[in-house]
Amino acid sequence: MSGLLSAVGFRIRKHVGISISASGFIELVYVDKKSKKVLAYAAGNIKYNSAIREIIDYDEFAEVVQDLFNEAGLDPRECTVTLNIPNVHFGIEDIEDSASEQYLIEDIQTNLEDLYIFKRNEPVISKCVMERVMGRSNRSVIYGAVQQKASDEIVRRFDTIIEAELVRIDTSYSSMLKAIQFCDRFEQYVRKGQRTQIILVSSNSCCSFYLEGNILVSLKEEILAVKSYSSDEVYSAISKIATESINNNKPTKLLIISETDEVNSELVARGIPFDGGVDYLNKNLNASDQFIDISPNSSSIDENMISYLTIEAVGAAVSDYDDYPLNINFIQGDKALPKMVEVGEYEIEILRFAVFVVFVAILAGALVGFLSGFVMTQIKNSQKDTIKSLETQKNDIFKRKEKAEGNQTENIFPVLTRIVDNNKNVIEVYAALGECTPESIYINKFVANEKGGIGIQGEAKTSESVQEFIKGLKVKNDDLMVTK
């Protein structure tokens, strides 16, 4: 199946998550997004300096990652990767609608100037403007920063040694929130209208997150060197941080997560005065249950290691599952995740060569200069005949291919048929983008779901160019609705 798909320009890909903790613990996880079960997991250790938040030996890191792929039974050349690194700096700012992009960048840079880590290293900044929460006049900007040198070294190792396609470098906090939104175990905490306080305890910090629905509204990180204090002192400090957050935010639910062996989240929960619903999870030696199921077909998973699976590792593995409210990427240029189409049990990446094979007529007539995963075309009355002609050509192609390869084409034929039939609306909007995007508009994300919904994200230099862009889309597609 894989070989035949490759022959016509399609490629089965797996999106895996790799997560590094401040202790140097490193995990690789692959999750089946439909069943929401772990299919592959491997873990090991690297040398990591938690004081300066850097990997000590990048070549060793690359070798360990290669070993993890091997242990998990995955070919890195067939995988895309989201990599979590320990939080270096993660912040939140309230902004007014009138605040300019330049003002926002300068404000973030000012906040970073006093951090010792960035006195010796230039930062890479990634930010995300959150939706306005009901009852609040301002919107929030969530931002993170890591050392540019570290980001560059990681990308270089993936390109030259590991050979998997690294599409995102994320922060552990951001990925944790993605996992909470993905896993059924936490569904109650991200429902619309729900107010949830999350307390995350690690070996060197205690962080408090306040969510309204699935929107992060506030966060506060306190340095807490757990091993430097007595047990009573640690529990007292965590209780104080949690109580202060509860009093400020008035949540209806409280979730406590411990990722260090020195802290039992159940004991923390008992010591916090709170009248709402309280839940806790231990991801340490005290772990008694899993927050995500393990596939019974996962023969390569070491049962002794799976108890160490962290929430943020799962968040990295499912970062391509949804258009999450919080998206951070420290790769310069913000690589977009490949365009994937789910057909049955497969996740198929659409390559340009596949587009050429399947959409030859459209490519020739409508898409000069198109550089995306699908070929764009305008669909109006005259294009209905084009699609009909295309399907005729497609059938002819596969009749000839069937003669050469026998019955093998029976597996791929329905795959291509479904891709053509289910994505006509996507093709139409792509066509409009190709012709109507001004030079001052940068499209960096295009999301299409199985219900026909389409989302476009990007950046613009001026508000006038946005107006021109929207006007052009409306001209090309009368049915298109544009919302802010």
Side-chain angles (χ1 to χ4, degrees):
M1 177 69 173
S2 178
L4 185 56
L5 284 170
S6 298
V8 293
F10 292 81
R11 183 165 53 182
I12 296 178
R13 305 296 298 275
K14 297 179 175 68
H15 186 73
V16 304
I18 298 177
S19 186
I20 304 171
S21 74
S23 65
F25 184 62
I26 182 169
E27 309 163 84
L28 182 149
V29 59
Y30 172 48
V31 174
D32 176 17
K33 283 92 172 176
K34 287 187 176 181
S35 66
K36 295 190 174 182
K37 294 181 179 180
V38 176
L39 294 179
Y41 180 75
N45 290 279
I46 62 171
K47 298 183 182 70
Y48 186 86
N49 188 330
S50 60
I52 59 175
R53 308 293 175 94
E54 286 186 16
I55 296 171
I56 295 175
D57 187 335
Y58 287 97
D59 288 333
E60 178 209 45
F61 158 75
E63 291 176 4
V64 171
V65 170
Q66 287 179 310
D67 290 342
L68 296 183
F69 271 108
N70 186 52
E71 290 175 27
L74 299 173
D75 185 343
R77 295 167 298 181
E78 296 179 355
C79 296
T80 57
V81 176
T82 289
L83 172 71
N84 283 339
I85 57 177
N87 180 55
V88 178
H89 183 74
F90 197 62
I92 185 168
E93 292 282 340
D94 287 337
I95 61 167
E96 298 179 355
D97 288 339
S98 59
S100 67
E101 178 78 6
Q102 183 63 29
Y103 171 82
L104 179 58
I105 292 295
E106 291 177 355
D107 188 41
I108 293 174
Q109 289 175 337
T110 299
N111 293 338
L112 298 177
E113 287 177 356
D114 293 333
L115 299 178
Y116 76 93
I117 287 178
F118 298 118
K119 291 184 181 297
R120 53 190 291 269
N121 287 291
E122 286 293 321
V124 175
I125 300 170
S126 181
K127 58 182 174 55
C128 182
V129 180
M130 307 299 287
E131 295 179 14
R132 181 182 283 104
V133 175
M134 186 176 296
R136 297 177 183 267
S137 58
N138 294 335
R139 289 186 297 170
S140 297
V141 173
I142 311 293
Y143 67 93
V146 300
Q147 305 93 319
Q148 181 174 329
K149 177 186 175 183
S151 175
D152 292 344
E153 292 285 357
I154 290 170
V155 170
R156 187 176 300 115
R157 295 315 187 280
F158 270 90
D159 289 344
T160 61
I161 300 177
I162 301 170
E163 295 186 299
E165 183 179 359
L166 181 64
V167 295
R168 186 191 302 275
I169 297 177
D170 206 344
T171 174
S172 57
Y173 290 166
S174 171
S175 285
M176 181 204 71
L177 294 173
K178 290 182 178 69
I180 286 177
Q181 186 170 331
F182 173 83
C183 295
D184 293 338
R185 163 79 160 76
F186 306 114
E187 188 271 336
Q188 60 179 308
Y189 301 109
V190 290
R191 292 174 185 164
K192 188 174 182 179
Q194 187 64 264
R195 304 193 310 276
T196 300
Q197 194 78 48
I198 301 173
I199 305 298
L200 176 67
V201 183
S202 65
S203 60
N204 60 3
S205 70
C206 178
C207 193
S208 174
F209 306 82
Y210 173 61
L211 286 77
E212 294 192 8
N214 63 355
I215 304 298
L216 179 63
V217 177
S218 67
L219 66 92
K220 185 176 182 181
E221 183 183 39
E222 297 280 354
I223 301 301
L224 184 64
V226 172
K227 294 182 179 180
S228 300
Y229 298 92
S230 68
S231 178
D232 290 343
E233 290 174 329
V234 169
Y235 283 101
S236 176
I238 296 171
S239 178
K240 180 180 179 181
I241 293 169
T243 301
E244 181 181 340
S245 298
I246 291 169
N247 291 337
N248 290 338
N249 299 316
K250 304 297 188 294
T252 54
K253 289 188 178 295
L254 176 64
L255 173 62
I256 302 167
I257 303 169
S258 173
E259 294 185 338
T260 176
D261 293 338
E262 286 72 28
V263 175
N264 187 323
S265 60
E266 182 178 4
L267 297 181
V268 174
R270 291 177 182 175
I272 298 175
F274 182 66
D275 296 330
V278 181
D279 193 7
Y280 55 85
L281 179 70
N282 282 306
K283 292 308 303 171
N284 49 37
L285 292 177
N286 302 302
S288 58
D289 63 342
Q290 289 295 332
F291 61 93
I292 187 170
D293 291 333
I294 310 303
S295 172
N297 299 321
S298 304
S299 57
S300 63
I301 295 181
D302 184 344
E303 294 183 1
N304 295 322
M305 293 298 298
I306 195 63
S307 61
Y308 289 96
L309 173 63
T310 62
I311 297 177
E312 52 266 33
V314 171
V318 302
S319 62
D320 64 334
Y321 173 75
D322 197 0
D323 186 22
Y324 298 99
L326 178 57
N327 277 305
I328 298 294
N329 193 351
F330 296 116
I331 298 179
Q332 297 247 303
D334 282 0
K335 282 189 179 181
L337 287 170
K339 181 61 180 177
M340 308 296 291
V341 175
E342 289 190 5
V343 181
E345 63 180 303
Y346 299 107
E347 285 183 298
I348 301 177
E349 180 184 356
I350 310 300
L351 304 179
R352 294 194 186 106
F353 176 63
V355 174
F356 176 78
V357 171
V358 180
F359 301 112
V360 175
I362 302 175
L363 177 65
L367 296 181
V368 176
F370 173 62
L371 296 177
S372 184
F374 280 110
V375 173
M376 305 183 230
T377 185
Q378 300 178 58
I379 298 180
K380 295 188 182 291
N381 292 333
S382 62
Q383 270 67 41
K384 293 180 180 178
D385 293 335
T386 301
I387 293 176
K388 184 176 180 180
S389 173
L390 168 66
E391 292 174 344
T392 300
Q393 293 178 53
K394 178 193 68 179
N395 292 338
D396 182 62
I397 287 172
F398 280 94
K399 283 180 181 179
R400 286 185 277 116
K401 191 168 186 63
E402 186 174 9
K403 291 180 181 179
E405 300 185 2
N407 293 328
Q408 293 183 62
T409 50
E410 293 179 3
N411 292 327
I412 185 62
F413 182 80
V415 173
L416 298 181
T417 299
R418 292 173 63 180
I419 292 172
V420 172
D421 293 341
N422 294 342
N423 290 281
K424 291 178 182 178
N425 186 49
V426 176
I427 297 169
E428 178 182 6
V429 177
Y430 264 131
L433 285 177
E435 293 191 5
C436 304
T437 305
E439 292 184 359
S440 56
I441 291 280
Y442 304 93
I443 303 297
N444 53 36
K445 192 167 189 179
F446 185 97
V447 179
N449 62 35
E450 59 186 11
K451 297 180 180 179
I454 293 174
I456 302 169
Q457 293 182 10
E459 300 179 5
K461 293 182 178 179
T462 64
S463 58
E464 290 78 9
S465 61
V466 176
Q467 294 173 1
E468 177 187 349
F469 174 59
I470 293 174
K471 182 178 179 181
L473 287 181
K474 295 290 287 183
V475 169
K476 294 292 181 182
N477 189 326
D478 294 335
D479 297 327
L480 186 65
M481 294 181 64
V482 180
T483 59
K484 183 176 181 181

